[in-house]
Amino acid sequence: MTDQRSMSRRKLLKWAAGTTAASLITPQAFASTQELAIPLPDAKSIKLINTHTGEKTSVTFWEGGRYHMEALAEINKILRDHRQNEITEMDIKLIDKVHEVTSLLDTNHWVQVISGYRSPKTNAMLQAAGRNVATNSMHTVGKAIDIWIPGFDINQLHKAALKTRCGGVGKYSRSQFVHMDTGRVRTWGA
C-alpha cells in the first residue's frame, strides 16, 4: 500500500513539475522555437554522376515518410566500386546528408562522385600504390563519399557539409572535393 501511494505521489509531482515548466513558456519563446524548426521536405531527390564511369542517376529516394528501395538500389549501383564492379548497401544516413548539402546550397546541380564504396581489395591496392587512403576507411563499409558540386567553391561545399553535422568531413582543396562519412564527428583539411 505504501508503494502505491508513493508511486501516485511521484506521478503527481512529475505532472506538477511539467505543468509548471509549461506555464513558464511565453508566447514569444514559443514563436522563436517555431522559427528554428526546419520543415521536413515532402520528398528527397538526388542527382549523382560517377566521375569514373560517367554513369548518372536522378532519383527521388524518400517520399511520403518512407525510402524507395528501387531508388536506393540505383544509388548503390552508381556509388559502387567501379574497379571491382562491386556494389554494397550505402548508409542511408549518408545519402540523406548529401541531399541536405544540396538543399543547403539550394542547388539542383549534379553531385559529382569521386569515390563512394571502395572494396577492401581496392582500398589495399590504392594503399600499395601510395595513395593516401585509410586502412580502415569508411568507404570500405559504405559509410563515406567524396563529392564535388559544379558551380560551388570548395569552401562553400565544405561549410555546407559541416552544417549537416555528418560524422567526418574533410576538405581536399588541391583535389577539389569534400569527404563526408557517418563515422564519429571530426573534421580535417585545408
Side-chain angles (χ1 to χ4, degrees):
M1 187 171 256
T2 306
D3 289 338
Q4 286 180 334
R5 265 190 254 139
S6 64
M7 287 298 281
S8 296
R9 187 173 182 193
R10 274 189 221 139
K11 285 182 183 177
L12 177 64
L13 289 172
K14 283 183 182 178
W15 174 81
T19 56
T20 302
S23 68
L24 296 175
I25 298 175
T26 64
Q28 293 83 6
F30 183 70
S32 67
T33 59
Q34 284 180 322
E35 290 169 12
L36 294 175
I38 299 169
L40 287 174
D42 294 332
K44 294 180 187 179
S45 299
I46 198 164
K47 292 168 63 173
L48 301 170
I49 183 166
N50 185 312
T51 59
H52 299 283
T53 65
E55 296 169 305
K56 53 187 174 179
T57 188
S58 178
V59 293
T60 298
F61 66 93
W62 184 88
E63 191 173 34
R66 65 182 198 86
Y67 289 95
H68 294 292
M69 300 317 285
E70 309 81 32
L72 292 174
E74 183 66 22
I75 291 169
N76 291 338
K77 180 183 172 198
I78 296 295
L79 299 181
R80 76 186 181 281
D81 178 340
H82 66 278
R83 291 174 181 92
Q84 306 300 322
N85 200 29
E86 199 173 304
I87 298 172
T88 196
E89 189 173 311
M90 297 298 289
D91 186 348
I92 293 172
K93 182 180 174 189
L94 181 66
I95 306 308
D96 280 331
K97 294 298 181 179
V98 173
H99 171 267
E100 196 174 330
V101 165
T102 62
S103 295
L104 286 167
L105 293 173
D106 193 25
T107 185
N108 196 26
H109 287 295
W110 289 89
V111 175
Q112 310 282 313
V113 178
I114 289 83
S115 183
Y117 172 63
R118 199 163 53 221
S119 69
K121 182 177 180 180
T122 294
N123 203 62
M125 179 192 73
L126 292 173
Q127 277 186 316
R131 300 284 292 274
N132 188 18
V133 297
T135 302
N136 295 316
S137 172
M138 298 295 285
H139 286 279
T140 64
V141 290
K143 294 178 181 254
I145 191 167
D146 298 335
I147 62 169
W148 174 67
I149 302 176
F152 293 93
D153 171 281
I154 192 72
N155 294 316
Q156 291 173 298
L157 182 55
H158 184 244
K159 271 187 192 173
L162 288 171
K163 283 182 182 178
T164 69
R165 296 183 183 168
C166 199
V169 176
K171 178 171 66 169
Y172 294 85
S173 298
R174 278 197 356 221
S175 301
Q176 291 292 293
F177 72 84
V178 168
H179 168 95
M180 296 174 68
D181 68 53
T182 56
R184 63 182 170 74
V185 176
R186 65 215 187 282
T187 186
W188 66 92

